[in-house]
Amino acid sequence: GRPGWHIECSAIALHHLGTAFDVQGGGSDLIFPHHEMSAAEAELATGEPFSLAYVHAGMVGFEGEKMSKSKGNLVLVSRLRADGHDPMAIRLALLAHHYREDWEWFGHEIGQAEARLATWRAAFARSNATAAAPVVAALRAALTNDLDAPAAIAAIDDWVTKAGDDSDAPAIVRSAVDALLGVEL
C-alpha cells in the first residue's frame, strides 16, 4: 500500500465530514488496503468508528478489461445519448446489474434495455392491469435488500406480463417505478 494515500484520505474525510459519518463508498478495488487502512488510521486518531457503513461498487469491464479513464476504454452515457439511446433505457441497462457485482458491458445490453423499456411502456399504457400492491411491495423488498435492482426489475418484468382488471394499477406501479428506480415511463 501507500501509507501517505491512506492518511491523506482519512484526514480529508475527518476534516470535511467529521468523525463517525454514515457511509463511505467507492469501488471494490478500494476495500483493501485503502479503505481498511484509512479507517484504521482514523479510528486510532479519534477513538471513534470512521464510518457506520461501507458500500463498494463492483468494477465494470469492457472487452475483457476493467473500464477506466486511463485505459481509454469507457462507454460514456453522453456517447450513448448522442447515439440516440433513451436515457431511461440507459438507466435500465445499468440497473440490470447489482451495484456490488463486477460486470462487463456488452453493446447488446442497450438493445435489451430498450426492448424492456418498450415492453414496460406498452404495459403501462393499458387501461387495466393486475393489482399494484404486490409488485410495489416486491419492488421495495428488492431495493431494501442491498439495493437489489436486478430483482426489482424482475418484479416489474413479471408484472407487465400479467393481465388484470385493476384500472388504478398502471398509474400506481408507474409512480413506484419512477420514484424507486428513477425510470420515467
Side-chain angles (χ1 to χ4, degrees), residues 105-119:
W105 173 264
F106 295 100
H108 68 272
E109 291 188 62
I110 192 66
Q112 292 171 335
E114 287 171 331
R116 171 177 275 136
L117 184 62
T119 299

Side-chain angles (χ1 to χ4, degrees), residues 86-96 113-122 124 139 143 149-150 152-154 156-157 160 170-185:
D86 187 315
M88 297 302 106
I90 296 167
R91 181 178 292 270
L92 280 174
L94 297 173
L95 289 172
E114 287 171 331
R116 171 177 275 136
L117 184 62
T119 299
W120 286 15
R121 284 182 171 157
F124 287 106
L139 182 59
L143 295 175
I153 287 172
I156 301 302
D157 284 345
V160 301
I172 293 168
V173 178
R174 178 187 300 114
S175 178
V177 168
D178 184 18
L180 299 173
L181 293 176
V183 177
E184 186 178 335
L185 301 166

Side-chain angles (χ1 to χ4, degrees), residues 2-21 24-25 30 33-51 54:
R2 299 173 286 279
W5 177 43
H6 311 312
I7 298 245
E8 178 183 25
C9 186
S10 307
I12 291 169
L14 291 171
H15 176 75
H16 291 287
L17 302 173
T19 58
F21 51 88
Q24 179 174 10
L30 295 176
H34 181 58
H35 284 163
E36 290 182 9
M37 290 295 292
S38 60
E41 292 162 354
E43 288 175 15
L44 284 171
T46 66
E48 296 182 39
F50 185 56
S51 178
Y54 295 87

Side-chain angles (χ1 to χ4, degrees), residues 52-173:
L52 300 178
Y54 295 87
V55 179
H56 294 93
M59 298 290 102
V60 180
F62 180 66
E63 297 179 347
E65 292 187 286
K66 179 179 91 169
M67 235 190 248
S68 71
K69 187 168 40 171
S70 63
K71 291 182 181 187
N73 65 348
L74 300 176
V75 177
L76 301 172
V77 170
S78 60
R79 178 79 253 155
L80 292 170
R81 298 268 329 263
D83 290 344
H85 297 290
D86 187 315
M88 297 302 106
I90 296 167
R91 181 178 292 270
L92 280 174
L94 297 173
L95 289 172
H97 303 279
H98 193 280
Y99 80 95
R100 284 192 194 266
E101 307 276 328
D102 291 347
W103 59 282
E104 184 153 354
W105 173 264
F106 295 100
H108 68 272
E109 291 188 62
I110 192 66
Q112 292 171 335
E114 287 171 331
R116 171 177 275 136
L117 184 62
T119 299
W120 286 15
R121 284 182 171 157
F124 287 106
R126 298 185 307 220
S127 58
N128 294 325
T130 190
V135 72
V136 172
L139 182 59
R140 287 182 175 146
L143 295 175
T144 301
N145 182 21
D146 195 27
L147 295 175
D148 191 351
I153 287 172
I156 301 302
D157 284 345
D158 182 55
W159 181 83
V160 301
T161 64
K162 296 177 181 173
D165 60 0
D166 186 337
S167 61
D168 294 328
I172 293 168
V173 178

